[in-house]
Amino acid sequence: MNITDVDDKIIRNAAAAGVPIHEYTTKFERAFFEDLDSLGVEHPEVIARATEHIPRMVELVQKLAAAGAAYQTEDGSWYFRLASFPSTAS
């Protein structure tokens, strides 16, 4: 299971609260798993948090940008250049 524990909104809200990202997101992750427990949903065997894979994500974005498949906007965000991917329509 993927846990998105960092994104623009999380960064902004953690900064506004004056707390580190991990401290800000921990309470939401805990509440999520409490909800799963209340619903009787088994916990996943593997949990992947986005913050544990940032270097790999940066590397992937760099490769995509070098290949012309990603671009950066003025605000620093990165997007896929969809036209650079082969069409799968038949």
Side-chain angles (χ1 to χ4, degrees), residues 28-44:
F28 294 104
E29 184 177 332
R30 187 178 316 115
F32 171 71
F33 283 108
E34 287 172 1
D35 289 347
L36 289 182
D37 292 339
S38 295
L39 294 169
V41 176
E42 284 187 47
H43 288 226

Side-chain angles (χ1 to χ4, degrees), residues 31-62:
F32 171 71
F33 283 108
E34 287 172 1
D35 289 347
L36 289 182
D37 292 339
S38 295
L39 294 169
V41 176
E42 284 187 47
H43 288 226
E45 292 180 18
V46 177
I47 299 170
R49 290 170 184 80
T51 52
E52 297 169 350
H53 300 279
I54 290 175
R56 291 176 65 196
M57 288 187 271
V58 169
E59 181 182 331
L60 176 60
V61 169
Q62 289 171 338

Side-chain angles (χ1 to χ4, degrees), residues 4-28 50-51 54 57-58 75-78:
T4 302
D5 59 346
V6 65
D7 64 16
D8 293 342
K9 184 178 175 183
I10 291 169
I11 293 168
R12 182 179 60 245
N13 291 344
V19 297
I21 291 169
H22 176 74
E23 183 179 326
Y24 180 80
T25 58
T26 298
K27 62 185 172 195
F28 294 104
T51 52
I54 290 175
M57 288 187 271
V58 169
D75 71 356
S77 298
W78 284 91

